[in-house]
Amino acid sequence: MLVLPSSCLTLFPVFLPCFLFSATPNLLWKSPLQGCGCFAYLRVELGDFMAFIAAGNILLEYVIGGAAVSRAWTSYFATLCNHKPDDFRIIAHSLPDDYGHLDPIAVLVGVVICILAVLSTKGSSRFNYVASIIHVVVILFIIVAGLAKADTKNYADFAPNGARGIFTASAVLFFAYVGFDAVSTMAEETKNPARDIPIGLVGSMAITTLAYCLLAVTLCLRVPYKMIDVDAPFSVAFESAGWGWAKYIVAAGALKGMTTVLLVSAVGQARYLTHIARTHMMPPWLAHVNAKTGTPVNATVVMLAATAIIAFFTKLDILSNLLSISTLFIFMLVAVSLLVRRYYVSGVTTPVNRVKLIVCIVAILVSSIATTLIWGTSDQASWIGYVITIPIWFFATLALKISVPQARDPKLWGVPLVPWLPSASILINMFLLGSIDVQSFKRFAVWTGILLIYYLLFGLHASYDTAKASGENKDEGGFKNVEDGTVSSQNDAL
């Protein structure tokens, strides 16, 4: 992935959808499903089917994100050893080039992370605490030392690929925001989730965005963008500037940081799979928690095994594009579910207002999809289509604001400027999808097809059985706690 002088701008279209995605599900903090994040939220608002499709894509996010970081780990390790990344990979000429650079080090890293994640959550947290301090020190070193050799001439060509290049980079940059929702899976382990989770999510997202901007600006000021190395940009940037000693500090810090990312991801994704398995949409044995270690061993091993297999075969650019489609799709679903939550309550919303809500949401979605198709298929200079689609989106959102009363107000805190922010998030997510290549959409379609087949053959029956059991429990005067591993209720979730 090439870093350009305009890279800092690519973060701004990304921040709003990421904020809504991370913040919205945590309104479920009073629910028995409080640790399920986005999955529980979508299950309550859009039903089991959409929740399962979203859950499958969330798990895909974690697997692909972990695989990509594992392969990047190999790249920085090679730099630390004064080698090229392919020196540590096995080139299989019989396989397509995108899948023929086999990476055994990425698999080994995955195995080590799996062992750490399985042994102890507290031990993992202590390791992450120390590693995070080291990582922050290295980031500060990169920024300060990098700006010491800054050359403003490198910014003369600020956006060499124009607006399309900026938005294409934004679509791929969603890769960097994967994992924030993992914080919500730790809600059960916080003392005051209503306060701590939102502060942790929004605060960490703001800090991370600022760090991304500073690092991108520093890199481009230090090295012309055409000379930036794709595999280990910061290490090679310092070496090319005559600071060979600094590349070892940067590479070591990057390895430490990526190890932390992998460990946090391993803990979060295992808990996500555990929560989904507790609904029986996935095999219940995945929800087993080891009595001795207190960790979901089965879920951890399964997720990291899938991560290791993909990391072994697949190149980074393939992973990043597929990951972005999955992420944008989920972000869009969360924004839609927020509109449903605010404007529809069974027994409160009148039939007329329900129809208005459906018409407005459909108009928002259709206009957003049309805008995406125009962006993805037409010439950049063409603007006629936008004159039609953007006003439709605007007036559909305005109609929702004016003609449909909100059926539910946030009890503690909530996303402001509804329906404008969720509607804008839908438009941005759909728009950025138009910047991703066709092959990635084909891979996404294959994965979605697999999810549909699994849901029809297994997940649908599990949902029916769970709903039936839930009804029986309700008749008996209470609900079984989802943590006990059989059924769950969302009736009092919000």
Side-chain angles (χ1 to χ4, degrees):
M1 193 184 340
L2 186 61
V3 179
L4 301 173
S6 56
S7 293
C8 55
L9 296 182
T10 64
L11 292 154
F12 293 100
V14 174
F15 187 83
L16 172 61
C18 291
F19 167 76
L20 289 179
F21 173 72
S22 62
T24 301
N26 293 289
L27 296 172
L28 287 177
W29 64 275
K30 290 184 178 180
S31 169
L33 292 171
Q34 61 180 307
C36 297
C38 166
F39 170 70
Y41 191 84
L42 291 173
R43 195 177 183 205
V44 170
E45 302 301 339
L46 301 182
D48 284 347
F49 174 70
M50 294 308 300
F52 178 79
I53 297 300
N57 281 284
I58 289 170
L59 296 177
L60 180 66
E61 280 184 12
Y62 280 114
V63 169
I64 293 178
V69 175
S70 297
R71 291 187 71 91
W73 202 99
T74 302
S75 297
Y76 271 95
F77 178 73
T79 302
L80 194 64
C81 299
N82 292 316
H83 282 271
K84 296 291 185 182
D86 280 349
D87 293 342
F88 293 94
R89 292 174 179 146
I90 303 169
I91 309 300
H93 298 287
S94 59
L95 295 175
D97 185 63
D98 289 336
Y99 305 96
H101 294 246
L102 310 183
D103 197 333
I105 291 181
V107 176
L108 180 61
V109 170
V111 171
V112 173
I113 293 297
C114 182
I115 294 172
L116 290 174
V118 163
L119 288 179
S120 171
T121 300
K122 291 183 178 179
S124 301
S125 298
R126 294 190 191 101
F127 174 82
N128 284 335
Y129 181 77
V130 175
S132 297
I133 294 175
I134 297 173
H135 199 201
V136 169
V137 171
V138 174
I139 288 175
L140 292 175
F141 170 78
I142 291 173
I143 294 172
V144 174
L147 292 178
K149 285 275 189 177
D151 186 357
T152 56
K153 294 180 181 178
N154 294 339
Y155 260 68
D157 191 4
F158 183 71
N161 297 323
R164 185 169 293 274
I166 292 175
F167 285 110
T168 299
S170 292
V172 178
L173 195 61
F174 269 90
F175 172 98
Y177 282 90
V178 171
F180 278 106
D181 190 53
V183 177
S184 66
T185 66
M186 309 299 289
E188 296 170 358
E189 300 174 39
T190 57
K191 294 181 180 179
N192 188 357
R195 181 200 65 188
D196 298 340
I197 296 296
I199 292 175
L201 279 165
V202 178
S204 61
M205 189 175 298
I207 293 171
T208 302
T209 301
L210 178 61
Y212 286 154
C213 287
L214 290 174
L215 288 170
V217 170
T218 300
L219 181 61
C220 292
L221 284 174
R222 189 173 183 90
V223 182
Y225 75 90
K226 293 181 179 180
M227 296 176 58
I228 294 175
D229 184 78
V230 176
D231 294 312
F234 289 99
S235 293
V236 176
F238 277 97
E239 184 179 26
S240 63
W243 290 25
W245 58 271
K247 81 169 186 177
Y248 298 106
I249 298 176
V250 174
L255 292 176
K256 179 69 72 174
M258 285 185 283
T259 303
T260 303
V261 169
L262 288 170
L263 191 53
V264 171
S265 177
V267 173
Q269 68 190 12
R271 277 155 178 73
Y272 237 121
L273 183 55
T274 299
H275 291 307
I276 296 168
R278 285 170 178 167
T279 68
H280 287 201
M281 287 188 182
M282 296 293 287
W285 62 270
L286 290 170
H288 173 72
V289 176
N290 186 276
K292 183 177 181 180
T293 64
T295 57
V297 176
N298 295 343
T300 302
V301 172
V302 168
M303 290 297 292
L304 290 177
T307 300
I309 292 171
I310 293 178
F312 185 63
F313 289 100
T314 315
K315 292 180 71 173
L316 183 59
D317 55 343
I318 301 295
L319 294 173
S320 60
N321 284 333
L322 182 57
L323 177 63
S324 295
I325 294 179
S326 179
T327 307
L328 289 164
F329 175 72
I330 296 169
F331 283 16
M332 183 272 294
L333 287 180
V334 169
V336 172
S337 67
L338 175 57
L339 293 177
V340 173
R341 172 173 172 78
R342 287 290 185 91
Y343 287 95
Y344 179 77
V345 175
S346 180
V348 176
T349 306
T350 64
V352 173
N353 286 333
R354 181 177 61 190
V355 172
K356 291 179 183 177
L357 173 62
I358 293 173
V359 170
C360 290
I361 291 178
V362 169
I364 291 170
L365 288 171
V366 171
S367 60
S368 299
I369 293 172
T371 304
T372 302
L373 293 174
I374 294 170
W375 173 255
T377 59
S378 65
D379 184 81
Q380 185 173 345
S382 176
W383 53 269
I384 298 177
Y386 302 120
V387 174
I388 300 173
T389 60
I390 298 300
I392 292 176
W393 168 84
F394 175 81
F395 286 113
T397 308
L398 182 63
L400 181 59
K401 174 69 175 178
I402 295 175
S403 64
V404 184
Q406 290 195 25
R408 181 188 283 117
D409 294 322
K411 293 181 179 180
L412 184 67
W413 73 281
V415 175
L417 299 176
V418 176
W420 295 105
L421 284 185
S423 182
S425 180
I426 293 171
L427 178 63
I428 293 171
N429 289 320
M430 298 300 295
F431 181 78
L432 292 177
L433 282 172
S435 301
I436 299 176
D437 65 283
V438 176
Q439 291 300 320
S440 295
F441 276 100
K442 292 180 180 179
R443 298 182 186 101
F444 178 74
V446 171
W447 173 246
T448 303
I450 294 172
L451 291 177
L452 288 173
I453 293 172
Y454 179 90
Y455 183 78
L456 292 175
L457 295 179
F458 302 101
L460 181 61
H461 302 287
S463 298
Y464 174 78
D465 293 340
T466 302
K468 184 178 179 181
S470 178
E472 293 173 354
N473 290 329
K474 185 177 182 181
D475 293 337
E476 293 170 4
F479 294 106
K480 292 182 180 180
N481 194 316
V482 70
E483 303 299 330
D484 293 335
T486 51
V487 296
S488 60
S489 170
Q490 287 78 36
N491 291 352
D492 299 322
L494 299 176

